[in-house]
């Protein structure tokens, strides 16, 4: 991801970082606050993500504090009101459909928000293991992980589309179909090396060809595979005939 | 970023490697041994380096980082499961981060029990009252000076 997008997004990333550094203390903390409090995640959609006013519309909101206490390490822990609670309310994870509606900057910021939340949950989990107490609402971790994965998927989709439109390349990482020593064909993905391949001793030991003495075994492997496949099919057919004899009124299942 | 990050090869003159959307997570842990006041202990991914940790904390958490030291904790491969197979506990890397600007950090106590008074007239309140009465009834006689009822007289 970094290799392909570095050149393109380098100029953008500096702006991101600048904007992020300036607004990180305010925006990220506020967004983390609005996220980790007891509001459903879906309600977040009603809040404009990029707006500068982060007003909470419901009465049970935490008051926003703009001073950074403990210089940021507070981000590793939950808000003090939630310490000692048995369960902490949290909303649904982000779906891919919702994420596709967001812009790239929003997704970028959301990734960091989710990352900080994940760090916080991992900290709580480890501490609960140390103190031998049950962690409050462990399902939050799964939700975060799923959200992050979906975000990743959405960003990959966008990158794929961009790459296809601009260059026509289907894959980000170049590769080739190669035969290994056992005669199996697989997709070999290229890696970056400092030397050409004919000078790379470790690469030459890999052998992307099949020696002659292996070829009879390839046929044997194929026969074994086909035998197993026909065995499964015959078994299924016999099972169906037995069922038909026993229960003639059942309609034959379409295989 | 995918799970298996493959970094591009770095040769002199290449642009600075930047990772957007890092997939690494840090876990703040309570130190097992006594650490100095300004040291914070993290568990990090095995692939992370000191520079990674420093940049992570400075950029994402806005924490002024002085020094970072890391070590790898090897966890046992000796335990066996019910099939007598060896089970490996995964290794992890520990980072000791010293904060700059003479800041101190003390690991807070997260799991303090709060005194919760349930609502008046509710079922929980009656249950709690009942439990308290039971406990009062089962308390031993104070005049016996701690000796149990088992001993006669």
């Amino acid at each position: 991801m970094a290799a392909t997008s570095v050149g393109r997004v380098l100029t953008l990333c500096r702006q991101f970082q600048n904007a992020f550094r300036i607004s990180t203390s305010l925006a990220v903390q506020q967004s983390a606050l609005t996220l980790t409090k007891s509001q459903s995640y879906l309600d977040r959609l009603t809040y404009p993500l990029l707006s500068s006013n982060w007003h909470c519309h419901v009465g049970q909101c935490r008051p926003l504090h703009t001073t950074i206490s403990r210089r940021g390490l507070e981000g590793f822990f939950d808000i003090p009101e939630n310490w000692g609670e048995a369960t902490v309310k949290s909303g649904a994870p982000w779906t891919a459909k919702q994420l596709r509606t967001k812009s790239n900057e929003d997704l970028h910021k959301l990734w960091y928000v989710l990352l900080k939340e994940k760090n916080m949950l991992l900290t709580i989990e480890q501490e609960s293991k140390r103190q031998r107490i049950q962690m409050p609402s462990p399902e939050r971790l799964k939700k975060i992980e799923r959200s992050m994965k979906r975000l990743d998927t959405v960003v990959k989709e966008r990158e794929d589309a961009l790459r296809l439109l601009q260059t026509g390349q289907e894959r980000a990482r170049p590769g080739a179909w190669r035969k290994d020593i056992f005669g199996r064909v697989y997709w070999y993905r290229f890696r970056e090396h400092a030397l050409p391949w004919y000078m790379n001793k470790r690469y030459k030991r890999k052998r992307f060809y099949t020696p002659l003495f292996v070829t009879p075994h390839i046929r044997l492997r194929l026969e074994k595979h086909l035998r197993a496949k026909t065995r499964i099919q015959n078994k299924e057919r016999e099972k169906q005939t037995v069922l038909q004899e026993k229960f003639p009124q059942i309609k034959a299942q379409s295989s | 970023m995918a799970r298996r990050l493959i970094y591009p090869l770095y040769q002199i003159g290449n642009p600075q490697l930047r990772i957007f959307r890092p997939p690494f997570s840090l876990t703040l842990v309570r130190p097992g041994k006594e650490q100095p006041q300004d040291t914070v202990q993290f568990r990090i991914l095995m692939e992370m380096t000191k520079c990674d940790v420093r940049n992570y904390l400075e950029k994402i958490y806005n924490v002024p980082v002085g020094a970072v030291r890391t070590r790898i904790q090897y966890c046992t491969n000796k335990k066996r499961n019910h099939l007598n197979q060896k089970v490996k506990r995964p290794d992890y890397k520990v980072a000791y981060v010293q904060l700059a600007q003479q800041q101190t950090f003390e690991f807070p106590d997260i799991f303090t029990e709060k005194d919760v008074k349930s609502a008046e007239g509710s079922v929980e309140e009656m249950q709690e009252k009942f439990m308290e009465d039971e406990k009062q009834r089962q308390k031993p006689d104070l005049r016996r000076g701690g000796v149990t009822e088992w001993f006669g007289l």
Side-chain angles (χ1 to χ4, degrees):
Chain A
M1 204 87 32
T4 53
S5 46
V6 152
R8 242 179 274 129
V9 196
L10 203 60
T11 45
L12 286 173
C13 87
R14 272 194 217 108
Q15 290 166 11
F16 278 173
Q17 279 182 358
N18 290 339
F20 211 70
R21 230 174 276 132
I22 294 162
S23 60
T24 191
S25 53
L26 286 167
V28 177
Q29 215 186 22
Q30 289 168 15
S31 57
L33 284 175
T34 52
L35 280 175
T36 57
K37 63 173 298 304
S38 53
Q39 278 272 351
S40 73
Y41 278 57
L42 282 170
D43 281 357
R44 231 190 292 127
L45 292 178
T46 59
Y47 306 150
L49 264 176
L50 274 183
S51 73
S52 51
N53 44 340
W54 287 85
H55 301 307
C56 297
H57 302 283
V58 189
Q60 39 170 299
C61 288
R62 259 180 293 157
L64 300 171
H65 53 271
T66 48
T67 55
I68 313 158
S69 43
R70 201 66 78 65
R71 296 306 303 272
L73 283 173
E74 290 286 308
F76 282 104
F77 301 103
D78 214 348
I79 45 167
E81 290 139 24
N82 282 346
W83 292 3
E85 302 257 348
T87 45
V88 177
K89 271 203 275 182
S90 58
W94 285 88
T95 60
K97 206 172 161 187
Q98 290 165 356
L99 291 168
R100 275 186 203 117
T101 56
K102 303 292 168 200
S103 72
N104 282 328
E105 289 96 346
D106 290 348
L107 290 181
H108 193 86
K109 289 182 184 171
L110 182 64
W111 178 271
Y112 286 98
V113 169
L114 291 172
L115 191 68
K116 288 179 85 163
E117 182 78 12
K118 191 169 166 189
N119 288 344
M120 184 260 281
L121 292 172
L122 287 172
T123 315
I124 293 178
E125 195 187 6
Q126 188 56 43
E127 181 62 20
S128 60
K129 281 188 195 167
R130 177 71 74 92
Q131 306 289 347
R132 288 187 256 183
I133 299 174
Q134 222 189 18
M135 176 193 172
S137 6
E139 70 271 1
R140 295 182 284 176
L141 259 175
K142 270 200 203 160
K143 288 181 191 174
I144 290 276
E145 268 170 50
R146 281 180 197 157
S147 305
M148 286 175 102
K149 218 170 175 190
R150 286 164 192 169
L151 210 164
D152 203 23
T153 322
V154 167
V155 171
K156 268 204 179 80
E157 280 174 8
R158 290 187 186 177
E159 284 213 4
D160 274 347
L162 205 63
R163 195 183 50 244
L164 275 171
L165 285 169
Q166 289 186 336
T167 56
Q169 302 277 341
E170 281 153 14
R171 286 171 233 266
R173 192 167 160 197
W177 289 108
R178 288 207 182 157
K179 236 193 253 203
D180 64 358
I181 305 183
F182 303 114
R184 295 178 292 209
V185 180
Y186 70 108
W187 180 258
Y188 172 73
R189 293 190 297 169
F190 295 150
R191 289 181 66 177
E192 284 192 71
H193 300 278
L195 315 168
W197 69 267
Y198 47 84
M199 287 167 67
N200 197 342
K201 286 189 185 163
R202 202 166 181 237
Y203 177 86
K204 283 194 277 191
R205 268 186 269 142
K206 213 164 147 108
R207 281 176 289 165
F208 291 106
Y209 57 88
T210 337
L212 279 173
F213 56 85
V214 176
T215 25
H217 295 272
I218 298 173
R219 192 195 155 100
L220 293 171
R221 193 172 58 220
L222 182 70
E223 286 173 7
K224 183 179 178 184
H225 167 73
L226 287 172
R227 224 177 281 137
K229 204 164 91 168
T230 29
R231 207 182 301 140
I232 296 168
Q233 283 173 351
N234 292 345
K235 227 183 187 171
E236 184 63 35
R237 219 181 302 133
E238 277 168 25
K239 187 173 148 200
Q240 284 302 318
T241 41
V242 162
L243 276 178
Q244 280 291 84
E245 281 171 26
K246 263 192 160 178
F247 310 106
Q249 64 270 25
I250 287 181
K251 275 181 282 191
Q253 277 181 10
S254 56
S255 54
Chain B
M1 280 283 168
R3 175 63 221 180
R4 279 214 61 205
L5 271 179
I6 306 251
Y7 298 121
L9 199 68
Y10 180 79
Q11 288 168 322
I12 301 173
N14 283 12
Q16 170 71 47
L17 170 68
R18 278 161 224 285
I19 306 179
F20 311 122
R21 304 184 300 114
F24 321 116
S25 2
L26 312 179
T27 315
L28 234 182
V29 294
R30 187 189 285 271
K33 291 192 176 165
E34 269 301 309
Q35 298 286 342
Q37 280 293 311
D38 56 348
T39 308
V40 191
Q41 194 169 337
F42 290 99
R43 278 197 197 175
I44 58 182
L45 273 189
M46 292 284 272
E47 288 86 15
M48 279 181 88
T49 56
K50 294 179 187 179
C51 311
D52 283 338
V53 170
R54 187 193 295 275
N55 289 338
Y56 195 102
L57 286 173
E58 277 175 354
K59 298 270 163 59
I60 301 183
Y61 280 93
N62 232 2
V63 173
V65 167
V68 183
R69 296 181 296 273
T70 56
R71 68 176 176 95
I72 295 184
Q73 176 62 53
Y74 170 77
C75 296
T76 175
N77 198 10
K78 211 176 182 185
K79 299 257 169 169
R80 289 179 184 258
N81 61 4
H82 62 284
L83 299 168
N84 210 25
Q85 296 159 343
K86 279 194 182 170
V87 176
K88 164 83 182 159
R89 276 204 194 146
D91 305 327
Y92 55 89
K93 206 181 233 187
V94 181
Y96 300 93
V97 173
Q98 280 192 307
L99 304 168
Q101 296 167 18
Q102 291 149 353
Q103 288 182 353
T104 54
F105 177 77
E106 202 213 306
F107 199 91
D109 196 12
I110 306 182
F111 294 109
T112 43
E113 292 268 333
K114 286 192 195 159
D115 293 317
V116 181
K117 285 272 172 205
S118 29
E120 294 257 339
S122 68
V123 181
E124 285 102 21
E125 215 234 324
M126 290 201 291
Q127 281 177 347
E128 276 176 29
K129 226 168 155 247
F130 181 72
M131 291 305 290
E132 276 177 39
D133 287 336
E134 280 283 323
K135 278 187 199 153
Q136 278 292 323
R137 238 178 286 164
Q138 284 178 9
K139 269 214 172 89
D141 199 357
L142 284 167
R143 294 172 294 180
R144 288 178 65 79
V147 181
T148 48
E149 304 272 334
W150 190 86
F151 298 102
L153 263 101

